[in-house]
Amino acid sequence: MVVITLQRNKCIGCNYCVEMAPKQFQMSKKDGKSVLLNSTNKKGFFTLKSNQYNILEASENASKACPVKIISVKLV
Amino acid sequence: MQKIELMAPAGNFESLQAALDNGADSIYFGVEQLNMRARASINFTLDDLSEIVKRCNSKNVRTYLTLNTIIYDHDLSIVKTLINKAKEANITAVIAMDQAVIAMAREVGMEVHISTQINITNIETVKFYALFADTMVLSRELSLRQVKKITEQIEKEQIKGPSGKLIEIEIFGHGALCMAVSGKCYMSLHSHNSSANRGACKQNCRKKYTVIDQETGFEMELDNEYIMSPKDLCTIDFLDEIVNAGIKVLKIEGRGRAPEYVAKVIKCYREAIDSIQDGIYNKEEVISWMETLETVYNRGFWSGYYLGQKLGEWSKGSGSHATQKKVYIGKGNHFFPKANIGEFKIEAYNINVGDAILITGPTTGAKELLVEEMMVNDKKLNEGKKGDLVTIKLPFRIRQSDKLYKIVENKVEA
């Protein structure tokens, strides 16, 4: 399973995650921060668990590109 | 000679209070992610606006909201929200770089200040932005002679902003100067994907570099490997010339700095501006201010580009050359208002009679004093140790959120 986590409150809205993984991330027009699509929020940590392994590479690229290092991608 | 406005950085409530206590005429600050210190762990939030305005209004201090990053489409809605909330909270002005921010602020009737990132270097650009803004920061690369020509032309041509008053020119007075062109830089974007223009500068220009010819492997011999790290700007020794150049606002850098930095720098520049006004500005005082400024964070000082000197005075290290540093000792425990005595719990090291101490806190700001006498666990002693409750007579109130530090000498490498 691929587990992606976004610590959203620290997002500076740079948009790189969307450039790297547009299927997983979107910029919110409300507050200008990144949204991890289909994720669940637990105390500001937004998590997506998926069995679609084809999202792994793009998500890892998004994690590497994030300048504030708030995206983690794990295989469990 | 007209008195100029002293503008202080406020990265958090400690620094804000330090600025207010030491004589700032105005403060600038960022909220949320759209400011040049977006990376800072402590940034004000929208909910803090009313408290900021309340504290500043009580001292007649103007408040400026920085909204000076590059702006993407997805930011437009939050920009609008920030401007509306700033207007609602009676923030004095918005500091803007992007034309969308300027337009949105004007739409709701907010005063606009043009940020340094727009890089104004001539009178025609001043005229253009006068359609939208009352105050403009000039490019950092201008000399004082060039600044003076612009201010004289504003006066001569009666160039006025939307408020109907003459355009006010603002320049940087003290603090970090970097190799960027008036604050716009791609270096940390290229190396770390972290855009300075979104407030996420990684400061990698502050490191040591070597220059190697890739074809031959020849390494250039460098006197100083910090080839991209300028010293900090300091203008206190020619502040009379700055005032004489006709500027109206002097901006102090340092929203990422500690509250005691704000306290000391603002205090020195307040005294300097007042002494110029009173006609008593002199060399002896300049020496004493310089000594004080050297005690807090600095990379060494130079006069920037203002005096038209040879460009580039480079720092010789990655960190601060401050002559003093603070060591955490403990925290506030209680205050006895009738006797004006503060009680602290010592959590690290020790405290002695004769020590210079610093107390910081969101409401206390940054206050320094000498310990003349103290009680340790209700006994008059000369030394308090870890775990002790120490009481000290204070000329101000302390709170439980306050931190107690000892000020010690910082050995600086030459």
Side-chain angles (χ1 to χ4, degrees):
Chain A
M1 185 184 283
V2 180
V3 181
I4 310 170
T5 310
L6 169 74
Q7 198 183 345
R8 193 165 186 273
N9 61 340
K10 290 188 176 174
C11 176
I12 63 166
C14 74
N15 193 52
Y16 297 135
C17 53
V18 179
E19 295 298 327
M20 296 296 165
K23 287 182 183 158
Q24 273 68 60
F25 296 94
Q26 210 172 63
M27 297 312 294
S28 158
K29 288 209 168 162
K30 199 173 166 200
D31 65 4
K33 290 179 188 276
S34 169
V35 175
L36 176 57
L37 298 169
N38 303 316
S39 62
T40 48
N41 176 14
K42 203 173 179 185
K43 292 181 179 173
F45 286 80
F46 289 76
T47 305
L48 166 70
K49 292 176 182 174
S50 171
N51 285 320
Q52 291 178 303
Y53 289 88
N54 59 352
I55 68 169
L56 184 66
E57 193 184 344
S59 306
E60 281 179 340
N61 287 341
S63 170
K64 277 182 210 155
C66 174
V68 278
K69 303 290 170 222
I70 53 167
I71 300 168
S72 84
V73 182
K74 281 181 199 159
L75 263 182
V76 290
Chain B
M1 211 176 258
Q2 197 191 326
K3 203 162 189 168
I4 59 172
E5 174 182 322
L6 178 59
M7 183 176 171
N12 51 38
F13 277 114
E14 277 95 336
S15 297
L16 171 70
Q17 196 56 44
L20 296 179
D21 290 343
N22 287 281
D25 297 308
S26 57
I27 58 116
Y28 66 100
F29 62 96
V31 292
E32 311 292 344
Q33 73 264 32
L34 295 176
N35 71 90
M36 294 308 253
R37 295 292 176 275
R39 205 178 244 289
S41 55
I42 310 161
N43 245 325
F44 287 117
T45 67
L46 279 172
D47 294 337
D48 295 325
L49 288 182
S50 57
E51 174 68 14
I52 293 169
V53 172
K54 192 177 125 199
R55 285 204 207 178
C56 292
N57 279 356
S58 71
K59 294 213 167 183
N60 220 7
V61 166
R62 291 158 65 88
T63 47
Y64 306 135
L65 173 67
T66 57
L67 246 170
N68 56 343
T69 60
I70 56 168
I71 301 289
Y72 297 121
D73 275 342
H74 65 257
D75 297 318
L76 293 172
S77 168
I78 182 78
V79 170
K80 198 160 201 164
T81 306
L82 287 171
I83 289 173
N84 286 338
K85 295 273 182 190
K87 170 87 179 165
E88 217 175 278
N90 282 324
I91 296 291
T92 316
V94 169
I95 301 176
M97 184 267 282
D98 190 278
Q99 286 73 14
V101 179
I102 298 171
M104 283 178 174
R106 292 296 312 139
E107 207 174 304
V108 297
M110 271 208 89
E111 187 179 323
V112 173
H113 290 194
I114 300 293
S115 148
T116 190
Q117 281 82 8
I118 278 184
N119 206 13
I120 298 177
T121 50
N122 62 68
I123 190 69
E124 290 302 322
T125 311
V126 171
K127 276 187 210 165
F128 175 81
Y129 283 108
L131 297 169
F132 315 99
D134 296 291
T135 303
M136 298 171 198
V137 185
L138 293 186
S139 162
R140 291 184 200 181
E141 290 77 14
L142 293 181
S143 71
L144 274 187
R145 189 189 296 270
Q146 290 168 311
V147 171
K148 195 173 183 187
K149 274 193 178 169
I150 288 174
T151 61
E152 283 171 351
Q153 209 63 23
I154 289 170
E155 184 84 37
K156 195 175 157 197
E157 295 189 35
Q158 290 290 298
I159 304 168
K160 291 173 181 166
S163 71
K165 291 183 204 151
L166 282 183
I167 293 297
E168 300 199 330
I169 291 298
E170 172 183 324
I171 63 171
F172 283 85
H174 191 91
L177 267 184
C178 65
M179 54 167 264
V181 177
S182 279
K184 279 202 163 179
C185 180
Y186 285 107
M187 187 162 179
S188 72
L189 179 65
H190 287 313
S191 64
H192 293 83
N193 219 20
S194 193
S195 174
N197 309 318
R198 288 286 288 190
C201 172
K202 293 280 276 185
Q203 302 218 338
N204 46 339
C205 58
R206 301 298 186 188
K207 296 182 175 170
K208 278 185 182 182
Y209 287 91
T210 49
V211 181
I212 299 169
D213 180 340
Q214 291 287 341
E215 278 181 24
T216 61
F218 174 75
E219 190 177 317
M220 272 177 81
E221 195 177 320
L222 301 171
D223 279 347
N224 179 4
E225 289 155 319
Y226 293 89
I227 50 178
M228 287 181 276
S229 181
K231 289 179 177 176
D232 287 358
L233 174 68
C234 176
T235 60
I236 209 156
D237 53 339
F238 57 97
L239 202 65
D240 50 345
E241 289 181 55
I242 289 201
V243 174
N244 203 23
I247 63 130
K248 296 284 167 22
V249 187
L250 188 78
K251 180 179 186 173
I252 306 298
E253 276 278 285
R255 269 184 297 148
R257 298 272 162 263
E260 66 273 18
Y261 173 93
V262 177
K264 284 196 178 177
V265 177
I266 293 301
K267 188 168 189 285
C268 288
Y269 277 86
R270 173 80 278 148
E271 287 174 9
I273 291 170
D274 290 350
S275 75
I276 292 169
Q277 173 80 6
D278 299 340
I280 51 169
Y281 177 82
N282 62 66
K283 271 186 185 167
E284 287 71 35
E285 279 206 285
V286 166
I287 292 166
S288 140
W289 291 320
M290 289 292 274
E291 278 171 6
T292 306
L293 293 171
E294 279 165 5
T295 62
V296 285
Y297 191 101
N298 70 84
R299 294 182 178 94
F301 292 130
W302 73 307
S303 53
Y305 308 103
Y306 292 137
L307 302 180
Q309 289 167 343
K310 194 177 81 170
L311 302 185
E313 284 204 20
W314 310 111
S315 184
K316 285 182 179 159
S318 57
S320 176
H321 296 197
T323 55
Q324 290 182 349
K325 64 178 177 184
K326 62 181 180 188
V327 180
Y328 180 72
I329 299 287
K331 63 180 183 192
N333 198 50
H334 191 68
F335 184 73
F336 303 93
K338 279 185 188 165
N340 277 332
I341 285 172
E343 183 179 71
F344 297 91
K345 184 153 181 62
I346 306 302
E347 295 184 331
Y349 301 103
N350 51 9
I351 181 168
N352 294 281
V353 168
D355 280 348
I357 56 167
L358 166 73
I359 301 158
T360 67
T363 312
T364 307
K367 304 233 163 64
E368 278 187 31
L369 75 155
L370 271 177
V371 182
E372 285 170 1
E373 59 174 12
M374 62 184 183
M375 303 279 278
V376 182
N377 302 327
D378 294 331
K379 285 178 203 144
K380 200 172 168 185
L381 288 176
N382 284 337
E383 188 182 33
K385 289 178 183 157
K386 191 176 169 182
D388 287 342
L389 279 176
V390 169
T391 53
I392 303 165
K393 197 161 171 56
L394 299 169
F396 51 87
R397 190 187 182 91
I398 61 147
R399 286 95 189 159
Q400 284 199 328
S401 53
D402 287 357
K403 288 177 178 157
L404 172 70
Y405 300 90
K406 185 152 61 169
I407 302 288
V408 296
E409 193 191 339
N410 189 25
K411 295 221 164 63
V412 188
E413 283 176 37

